[in-house]
Amino acid sequence: MKILVAVKRVVDYNVKVRVKSDNSGVDIANVKMSMNPFDEIAVEEAVRLKEAGVATEVVAVSAGVTQCQETLRTALAIGADRAVLVETDADLQPLAVAKLLKALAEKEQAQMIILGKQAIDDDSNQTGQMLASLMDIPQATFASKVVVADGKATVTREVDGGLETIALTLPAVITTDLRLNEPRYVTLPNIMKAKKKTIDIVKPDELGVDIAPRLKTIKVEEPPKRSAGAMVADVAALVEKLKNEAKVI
């Protein structure tokens, strides 16, 4: 079984994001970038399935600028066998990424596609669902446990009411949640080995995919600063402030 894992290059989660002065987007110049944390969990899960003898090959995929190769090298260091970069400078939206992944999944004949449930930069939580719909195959989102046997995947997923377990016939799309696993620490020997692994580079045109944006960003703003809290003497004073100042009761 071949597994396709999608990874995205995003601003590192430890970095404070700043909005551009013209409010056109987020300033990423000279900012530390890293793999989307949920995608790191997806790569870890795919590698674990291979180590368990369930999968035969793990292919990491990314779409974006040339620097995405660094993110793919991280995936290769975790344990992916090879990688594919769909190289483009265009602003990729979830639908465009889903179309690119569909083309690659069909080309690679992957039996399972694993993605992070969402990226920490746009928080769209759309790509996996769109991909499953475009490919007309089963999907399991927000996975916290994945078991594969006899051509089926049993996935425990996190829902508002608790946990839900569903069975999927393969091929299928799975999106990972935070509690699925804890990604391994990437060792120096594996980083060195990753440098020798293959990264194939293709263009969207070669895959026959239209990546033109369907949405237009009008303005990006930082959230308003929260006002300082205030101490009150007793419950009566608190109720008075909630009623007359905050006007929430």
Side-chain angles (χ1 to χ4, degrees), residues 51-102:
E51 291 172 344
V54 174
T56 54
E57 186 179 22
V58 176
V59 182
V61 177
S62 190
V65 295
T66 305
Q67 291 86 338
C68 290
Q69 291 186 48
E70 300 168 10
T71 307
L72 289 171
R73 290 291 178 197
T74 302
L76 293 171
I78 293 173
D81 298 293
R82 58 188 178 88
V84 179
L85 170 62
V86 183
E87 192 175 43
T88 176
D89 292 328
D91 180 23
L92 294 173
Q93 296 177 354
L95 180 59
V97 176
K99 288 179 178 178
L100 292 170
L101 291 176
K102 175 180 182 290

Side-chain angles (χ1 to χ4, degrees), residues 196-208:
K196 299 179 180 178
K197 293 182 180 180
T198 305
I199 296 181
D200 298 320
I201 299 177
V202 298
K203 301 291 185 181
D205 293 344
E206 297 174 39
L207 298 172

Side-chain angles (χ1 to χ4, degrees), residues 5-10 35-36 38-40 42-43 60-63 68 71-75 78 83-84 97 101 114-116:
V5 186
V7 298
K8 185 177 184 181
R9 178 176 180 263
V10 300
M35 185 188 297
N36 179 48
F38 290 105
D39 296 342
E40 197 172 356
V43 176
V61 177
S62 190
C68 290
T71 307
L72 289 171
R73 290 291 178 197
T74 302
I78 293 173
V84 179
V97 176
L101 291 176
I114 307 180
L115 311 82

Side-chain angles (χ1 to χ4, degrees), residues 140-155:
T141 56
F142 317 129
S144 60
K145 184 179 180 182
V146 177
V147 178
V148 180
D150 303 323
K152 290 186 177 181
T154 303
V155 179

Side-chain angles (χ1 to χ4, degrees), residues 12-248:
D12 189 88
Y13 65 90
N14 287 312
V15 174
K16 177 175 172 55
V17 176
R18 289 182 171 83
V19 175
K20 291 181 180 178
S21 58
D22 61 358
N23 295 106
S24 62
V26 172
D27 187 4
I28 60 172
N30 301 316
V31 171
K32 182 184 178 183
M33 308 292 282
S34 61
M35 185 188 297
N36 179 48
F38 290 105
D39 296 342
E40 197 172 356
I41 292 169
V43 176
E44 174 68 27
E45 191 64 22
V47 172
R48 289 188 185 187
L49 288 171
K50 184 189 174 186
E51 291 172 344
V54 174
T56 54
E57 186 179 22
V58 176
V59 182
V61 177
S62 190
V65 295
T66 305
Q67 291 86 338
C68 290
Q69 291 186 48
E70 300 168 10
T71 307
L72 289 171
R73 290 291 178 197
T74 302
L76 293 171
I78 293 173
D81 298 293
R82 58 188 178 88
V84 179
L85 170 62
V86 183
E87 192 175 43
T88 176
D89 292 328
D91 180 23
L92 294 173
Q93 296 177 354
L95 180 59
V97 176
K99 288 179 178 178
L100 292 170
L101 291 176
K102 175 180 182 290
L104 287 171
E106 292 173 346
K107 180 181 178 182
E108 296 284 348
Q109 295 185 323
Q111 284 75 52
M112 183 181 291
I113 304 101
I114 307 180
L115 311 82
K117 70 171 184 177
Q118 65 194 79
I120 62 171
D121 53 1
D122 57 17
D123 277 332
S124 292
N125 183 18
Q126 296 174 345
T127 306
Q129 294 89 325
M130 287 178 171
L131 175 61
S133 180
L134 289 171
M135 296 186 70
D136 194 24
I137 59 176
Q139 63 172 306
T141 56
F142 317 129
S144 60
K145 184 179 180 182
V146 177
V147 178
V148 180
D150 303 323
K152 290 186 177 181
T154 303
V155 179
T156 302
R157 55 189 303 268
E158 299 188 6
V159 295
D160 290 341
L163 298 176
E164 176 185 56
T165 302
I166 59 176
L168 310 172
T169 54
L170 301 179
V173 173
I174 296 174
T175 71
T176 61
D177 213 329
L178 194 63
R179 280 159 287 278
L180 178 58
N181 61 53
E182 184 175 341
R184 68 194 68 188
Y185 177 76
V186 180
T187 61
L188 182 59
N190 286 336
I191 293 173
M192 300 306 293
K193 289 177 184 176
K195 292 183 178 180
K196 299 179 180 178
K197 293 182 180 180
T198 305
I199 296 181
D200 298 320
I201 299 177
V202 298
K203 301 291 185 181
D205 293 344
E206 297 174 39
L207 298 172
V209 176
D210 175 20
I211 60 171
R214 266 59 177 180
L215 304 173
K216 180 181 178 182
T217 301
I218 298 173
K219 193 176 185 182
V220 177
E221 292 181 327
E222 289 192 17
K225 292 183 179 179
R226 296 178 62 179
S227 56
M231 298 292 290
V232 293
D234 50 34
V235 174
L238 173 62
V239 171
E240 191 275 330
K241 283 185 175 292
L242 290 174
K243 187 174 182 180
N244 297 321
E245 291 185 20
K247 298 187 184 302
V248 294

